[in-house]
Amino acid sequence: MQEIELKFLIPQARLKGLMRQARVKSSQLTHMAAHYYDTSEQDLAQAGIGLRIRQEGDVWVQTIKAGGDGIAARLEHNTILDNEHVQAMLDANELMPDLTLYKDTAIAPALADFKLKKLAKKLTRQYLTDVARTTRLLIEDSNEENSSKERSTIEVAYDLGQIIHGSDDSQCQDIHEIEFELVSGELAFLFATAKTWCKRYKLCLSTVTKAERGGLLVKGHSYSPAVCADLGQLNVNQHSSRPAFVRAAVHNCLLQILPNSSAIAAGSRDDQHVLQLRIGIRRLQVTLKAFEKFSDQLNTEWHSILKQTAALLGDYRKLAHLATTIEPDLRQRGAPSIDWAIDLERIKITPMDTVRANDFQIILLELIEFTMSDPSTEPQANKLAMDKLPKILAKKHIKLLEAEQDFEDFQYNDSKRNGLIDSGLKNSDLINSDLEDNSVEQDNLEPSHSSSNPVHKVRRHLKDLRYVSEFAAPLYAKKNSKRWLKRLIKAQKALGQYQDHNYYQQCYQQKAFTDPNALYGAGWFAALLKDDGKRMQKRLARIQDSAMFW
């Protein structure tokens, strides 16, 4: 069967009120002790599979979870085990799952890549969970107009307990979360209820399962690595309708956004989590704007919150990246030490604050609900995305070419005024640059006040064209689209590096007013700009010469 579940972290300040709602007279308290299994190489976890044996009150249940949509839905198979047999295995310290249970079941395809007999021999208990679960059912109010319709039901489960290392019980982590699972009926009731509780108790979505947390505990890690965009999980083809296409694109963005926002909400300050979250939000913004006419269910109110969230994340990341990455790198090259701690302290809104903001959390729920809704019920369900994509791509391409021309004109005029023919732009024209990393994916959400800057215009339109091209590429010849995307990505990377070095140069130059040691950094990045500018212009020129793939 398919499990549809939403999991949330609970702020400490809202705990007492939430517990009063969870522990009503009709609620049930169940003690659950679970043993989780995997190979020493964590082969099951890498395949997205969780395998456990759990005591649920007086019953022992073997459960395997796998697949699903990567967000709220997963395949789940439960088998009630014989208590005497389980007790005998426990007494002999030989409690192990039975993989033969999954032959000829709906979960079997998830195990198809494994030789089950060989896998069974390699399984060991990796970690345990000891949880007190409080559950209650919420049933949809009856509607007089549809009294014959079955009422939807969801289960609310509040979990309090620990995850314990399988071979060292001194290593453990607290479990403190609430889950909403659809038992029967309509998805709309699940999301409406989740949003109500989210608003009331300031809950934060989390895609991190207990199995994932247990795996991290075994490895000695606090958070999973940052998640990049994975276009291999984009499920579109030439027969995709417009509503189905935009849902698939939004879903692909959420696969990047949710794991990174979950880590930040849980306390991660990792620069890569912030970077990849901002990239995911930018991809989502482009998706919602470019394909806004593909669905009647897209909410225009999402745009302002997404823009605000990205801006707040950017304000923190720019300076944090400078302090944690750029400054140490310069020190290794012989630069004197510069202290950016005071500058960081002046930023009042941290990434955790930003991600935990209630309006952002509500939008995430609405976006998940949108991706899980039925595209066939929309008016455009009989219209193909492929019929509209060439026009959208061509429009984005023209805007990029126009922005490049404005950029070239600006360079020429600025060079004439200032006698500069190499660097092109003055540093002051680039101070609003956002930070890039060395990966192909780059973070360049432009601040709103930079919209008139020709460099930012090129970057914005370059990103727009790239993301739309990536979503459309599976519908066209792979060879042509691959060449096209390769050139876009290289141009984006070159332009990003050019602006980053200008941004760093400005930061150190400004810092030099209070600390003369910062002049080293200002000079270092100023020296890099000449080659950066030439590389950027070369990459942009190659886009102008590229043949369109659509």
Side-chain angles (χ1 to χ4, degrees):
M1 62 174 290
Q2 187 180 58
E3 172 193 57
I4 299 177
E5 175 183 275
L6 299 168
K7 183 196 302 286
F8 296 88
L9 303 177
I10 309 166
Q12 189 67 31
R14 301 284 175 157
L15 180 57
K16 289 184 178 179
L18 183 141
M19 289 173 65
R20 285 194 295 268
Q21 281 294 314
R23 294 175 176 174
V24 296
K25 288 184 178 180
S26 60
S27 65
Q28 295 182 339
L29 179 62
T30 306
H31 177 259
M32 299 188 301
H35 304 249
Y36 285 79
Y37 297 86
D38 205 335
T39 67
S40 58
E41 296 82 15
Q42 304 231 332
D43 293 318
L44 291 179
Q46 291 178 30
I49 298 171
L51 178 62
R52 73 177 182 227
I53 297 176
R54 185 167 72 183
Q55 184 181 23
E56 302 177 7
D58 297 328
V59 178
W60 285 89
V61 181
Q62 181 174 315
T63 299
I64 188 169
K65 296 186 180 184
D69 65 358
I71 297 177
R74 296 192 78 191
L75 292 175
E76 178 179 339
H77 186 282
N78 296 297
T79 303
I80 297 177
L81 304 177
D82 180 79
N83 279 7
E84 292 185 4
H85 180 57
V86 171
Q87 190 59 53
M89 287 192 290
L90 285 170
D91 292 341
N93 196 26
E94 296 176 349
L95 181 63
M96 293 295 290
D98 181 3
L99 299 183
T100 63
L101 296 174
Y102 306 122
K103 185 179 180 181
D104 300 325
T105 65
I107 206 78
L111 294 167
D113 292 336
F114 296 96
K115 294 181 180 180
L116 296 189
K117 288 185 178 181
K118 184 177 180 180
L119 176 63
K121 293 179 180 179
K122 295 175 64 179
L123 292 177
T124 60
R125 188 181 69 178
Q126 298 288 304
Y127 49 91
L128 305 87
T129 59
D130 187 15
V131 173
R133 168 167 286 186
T134 302
T135 58
R136 61 173 293 194
L137 293 178
L138 296 178
I139 302 175
E140 186 179 22
D141 292 336
S142 59
N143 189 327
E144 293 182 3
E145 296 180 2
N146 299 293
S147 56
S148 60
K149 182 181 177 182
E150 179 185 0
R151 291 191 290 173
S152 301
T153 302
I154 64 174
E155 180 185 75
V156 181
Y158 166 60
D159 287 348
L160 178 63
Q162 286 187 321
I163 300 175
I164 306 165
H165 195 290
S167 58
D168 182 1
D169 58 12
S170 67
Q171 296 186 46
C172 57
Q173 287 185 1
D174 291 336
I175 296 173
H176 196 69
E177 57 196 26
I178 190 166
E179 302 172 356
F180 298 82
E181 181 178 354
L182 184 65
V183 177
S184 63
E186 303 295 329
L187 276 171
F189 181 57
L190 171 67
F191 283 95
T193 303
K195 283 191 283 186
T196 298
W197 283 61
C198 189
K199 290 175 182 177
R200 186 179 300 164
Y201 302 111
K202 310 303 179 187
L203 304 178
C204 298
L205 268 166
S206 176
T207 58
V208 185
T209 65
K210 293 181 180 67
E212 185 177 348
R213 289 188 60 187
L216 291 170
L217 178 64
V218 171
K219 295 178 181 178
H221 299 161
S222 298
Y223 311 101
S224 294
V227 175
C228 302
D230 183 359
L231 291 163
Q233 297 188 60
L234 177 64
N235 186 22
V236 296
N237 56 52
Q238 293 183 352
H239 305 292
S240 296
S241 68
R242 294 177 190 177
F245 182 92
V246 69
R247 280 169 172 78
V250 171
H251 177 267
N252 193 260
C253 295
L254 289 176
L255 289 178
Q256 181 179 15
I257 291 171
L258 291 170
N260 294 303
S261 66
S262 296
I264 295 170
S268 172
R269 296 185 178 182
D270 190 296
D271 181 67
Q272 288 299 307
H273 284 130
V274 180
L275 169 66
Q276 294 303 327
L277 175 56
R278 294 193 72 224
I279 292 171
I281 291 175
R282 176 57 175 159
R283 294 175 67 231
L284 178 61
Q285 289 175 294
V286 172
T287 298
L288 296 176
K289 186 66 176 178
F291 309 122
E292 61 185 347
K293 295 182 180 180
F294 279 23
S295 172
D296 295 339
Q297 296 181 20
L298 295 176
N299 188 344
T300 56
E301 295 180 1
W302 293 338
H303 294 283
S304 60
I305 301 301
L306 291 172
K307 182 178 180 180
Q308 179 187 42
T309 301
L312 290 171
L313 289 171
D315 290 342
Y316 181 88
R317 182 181 183 269
K318 284 188 290 188
L319 196 52
H321 186 76
L322 182 62
T324 61
T325 303
I326 301 304
E327 176 63 22
D329 183 61
L330 280 179
R331 289 181 191 175
Q332 288 185 352
R333 299 173 186 274
S337 176
I338 303 296
D339 186 6
W340 297 95
I342 295 177
D343 303 79
L344 274 171
E345 289 173 2
R346 291 183 183 140
I347 300 178
K348 302 300 183 182
I349 302 178
T350 66
M352 181 189 289
D353 298 329
T354 303
V355 168
R356 288 191 170 193
N358 205 227
D359 49 6
F360 179 62
Q361 292 294 321
I362 295 299
I363 282 180
L364 291 181
L365 281 172
E366 292 176 349
L367 287 163
I368 295 171
E369 183 178 13
F370 170 70
T371 64
M372 298 183 74
S373 62
D374 186 358
S376 66
T377 61
E378 291 214 43
Q380 296 191 71
N382 62 342
K383 295 182 179 179
L384 295 178
M386 196 165 186
D387 294 340
K388 190 70 172 179
L389 286 174
K391 184 176 181 180
I392 295 173
L393 287 161
K395 186 176 180 180
K396 295 292 183 185
H397 187 213
I398 291 171
K399 285 187 175 181
L400 174 60
L401 295 179
E402 291 174 345
E404 286 188 33
Q405 185 60 54
D406 291 343
F407 175 41
E408 291 174 2
D409 293 343
F410 184 90
Q411 284 183 298
Y412 176 74
N413 292 330
D414 191 64
S415 297
K416 284 184 66 178
R417 285 194 303 270
N418 297 282
L420 302 174
I421 59 175
D422 287 322
S423 61
L425 288 179
K426 293 177 294 184
N427 291 341
S428 59
D429 294 317
L430 296 149
I431 192 168
N432 294 325
S433 168
D434 284 302
L435 304 182
E436 311 289 351
D437 71 339
N438 293 324
S439 65
V440 170
E441 284 283 6
Q442 298 183 19
D443 172 26
N444 56 348
L445 288 165
E446 293 80 15
S448 59
H449 58 270
S450 67
S451 59
S452 61
N453 188 309
V455 179
H456 286 289
K457 284 181 66 176
V458 173
R459 292 185 72 183
R460 184 175 69 252
H461 292 304
L462 181 59
K463 294 287 284 187
D464 286 358
L465 181 58
R466 174 192 169 179
Y467 292 144
V468 173
S469 296
E470 286 178 337
F471 291 129
L475 282 63
Y476 294 89
K478 184 176 181 179
K479 182 178 180 180
N480 294 339
S481 61
K482 185 177 180 180
R483 184 188 302 113
W484 171 264
L485 285 168
K486 185 176 181 180
R487 291 189 175 185
L488 289 182
I489 291 169
K490 285 185 175 181
Q492 173 198 327
K493 189 171 182 178
L495 185 56
Q497 182 171 288
Y498 180 64
Q499 285 197 280
D500 284 351
H501 289 169
N502 272 280
Y503 173 79
Y504 303 144
Q505 196 273 341
Q506 283 289 309
C507 287
Y508 279 97
Q509 185 171 311
Q510 191 170 21
K511 190 74 167 177
F513 286 110
T514 57
D515 186 349
N517 285 336
L519 288 172
Y520 184 104
W524 177 273
F525 286 109
L528 297 177
L529 290 175
K530 183 176 181 180
D531 288 341
D532 289 342
K534 290 179 179 179
R535 186 181 302 109
M536 175 192 64
Q537 291 170 342
K538 179 180 178 181
R539 296 301 185 191
L540 290 175
R542 295 203 68 184
I543 292 178
Q544 295 177 354
D545 297 336
S546 296
M548 296 174 288
F549 71 89
W550 58 88

